Amino acid sequence: MRRRLLLLLPVGLLGLPVSVRAQVAVLRSHTLVEDQVIRIGDIFEGTPRGDVVVGAAPAPGQRFVLEAGQLAAIARRFAVEWRPTSGAERSVIERPGRALSREAALEALRSELLGLGLPADSELELAVFSPPILPLNALPRVSAEGGNYEMASNRFAATLVVMADGMPTIRMRLAGRAIATAPAVVATRRLSVGDVVGPDDVRLVQLRAERVRPGTAQRLEDVVGMQLRRPISTDLPFMGADLMTPHIIAKNEVVLMVVEGPALSLTTQGRALEPASRGGRLSVMNLSSRNVVEAEAIGPGRVRVRLGASPLRTADRS
């Protein structure tokens, strides 16, 4: 029995797997690459030749799928200790990317077209725009060339040029039309009836001209400091008819009535029967005589009554 074991031992050693004699690489099923090339280490893990370049990486935002046959060929060519076992092995090599923003493209087009007669306040509408995909961390340089602008039809065309490290230069022809715009003051938050509009409640924007109705407020100074007659929602434009000078006197507020005449000034207390803005007319009841007279709001809590003004009526004393 001992003799048989001695004879079988060398045969068993010869039949041991390759992994005992050399380090076997492990296939990576999915890898993200940010470089322009694919390296051995992106496909196989555990090989000393990991930095060796295999070939070009996919374009940003694209992927390669390497099937078992391709993987085996790569392993043989680059002396990687790996073989497929089932034939179903595969490795996905993906290069992440990000799309160029529409705003960046429009800015480049605008710079090109302004010198060709494009009105500065126009909005550019593209017929079709499929944004080019850039390397994930690239800083693109975007410009436009070969522009054409027809004033009669407001049609334009230009070639967008996109350059960035890690990708070939992209040139794409874009076309569209220019749309007239007009300024409008819109709300940055929801405001209620009676709110006084502050500087942080508004912003000036350019809207398509057909969306700007007659009477729309178009200057910040026409809105800030005014009081609302109606509520307004975020991003809606202010209408001049919905704005008024803020009330400096509230309804039922106790006010100082100033009666002025030549070389004469008298004061007494009254109650405002309605709200009023500066310079506005309102009815005030004299708290002493209970007479109701017409007065002018001249300041917070102050009204002026014309000397000799006839009472509008006498308030009920009950």
Side-chain angles (χ1 to χ4, degrees), residues 67 74 100 174 182 206 246-247 268 316:
E67 303 293 349
I74 293 171
L100 178 73
L174 298 177
Q206 291 290 133
H247 290 153
T268 187
D316 186 0

Side-chain angles (χ1 to χ4, degrees), residues 61-307:
Q62 301 295 318
R63 60 170 58 186
F64 288 159
V65 178
L66 302 176
E67 303 293 349
Q70 296 170 291
L71 294 169
I74 293 171
R76 288 194 303 270
R77 179 179 177 184
F78 294 97
V80 176
E81 195 66 30
W82 181 87
R83 291 181 182 179
T85 58
S86 67
E89 292 87 351
R90 64 188 309 205
S91 178
V92 178
I93 309 296
E94 185 175 0
R95 189 178 181 191
R98 62 181 180 89
L100 178 73
S101 69
R102 177 182 288 265
E103 290 71 23
L106 292 177
E107 182 179 352
L109 291 174
R110 183 178 298 278
S111 298
E112 169 71 8
L113 298 173
L114 283 175
L116 301 176
L118 176 75
D121 58 357
S122 294
E123 177 183 326
L124 300 183
E125 182 180 71
L126 296 175
V128 177
F129 180 64
S130 298
I133 306 300
L134 314 176
L136 195 60
N137 298 314
L139 297 176
R141 300 176 294 280
V142 186
S143 60
E145 60 187 21
N148 178 56
Y149 177 66
E150 298 178 357
M151 294 186 184
S153 63
N154 292 324
R155 297 286 177 179
F156 68 85
T159 298
L160 186 71
V161 182
V162 183
M163 296 182 290
D165 295 337
M167 57 170 276
T169 299
I170 297 175
R171 284 182 167 82
M172 53 192 305
R173 193 70 175 171
L174 298 177
R177 66 188 181 105
I179 301 173
T181 66
V185 181
V186 299
T188 60
R189 65 183 183 91
R190 179 174 177 79
L191 298 171
S192 302
V193 175
D195 285 349
V196 176
V197 183
D200 295 333
D201 299 329
V202 296
R203 61 188 178 97
L204 185 65
V205 299
Q206 291 290 133
L207 299 178
R208 293 190 177 190
E210 66 265 20
R211 292 180 53 194
V212 180
R213 294 184 295 162
T216 297
Q218 296 182 298
R219 302 188 307 167
L220 293 175
E221 54 266 33
D222 293 338
V223 178
V224 175
M226 301 296 284
Q227 193 169 29
L228 285 174
R229 299 179 187 272
R230 294 197 306 176
I232 188 170
S233 298
T234 306
D235 291 332
L236 288 183
F238 290 88
M239 303 299 295
D242 296 336
L243 300 168
M244 63 182 179
T245 304
H247 290 153
I248 60 173
I249 293 177
K251 182 178 180 179
N252 292 325
E253 179 182 355
V254 175
V255 297
L256 183 67
M257 301 175 64
V258 180
V259 182
E260 294 181 338
L264 176 66
S265 179
L266 301 174
T267 61
T268 187
Q269 281 191 324
R271 183 181 301 278
L273 301 183
E274 53 196 330
S277 304
R278 185 181 298 274
R281 312 298 294 184
L282 72 157
S283 298
V284 180
M285 181 184 67
N286 187 318
L287 293 180
S288 299
S289 65
R290 310 290 291 180
N291 288 332
V292 177
V293 296
E294 185 181 66
E296 177 188 0
I298 58 175
R302 290 170 58 87
V303 300
R304 179 167 49 216
V305 180
R306 181 172 55 84
L307 182 65

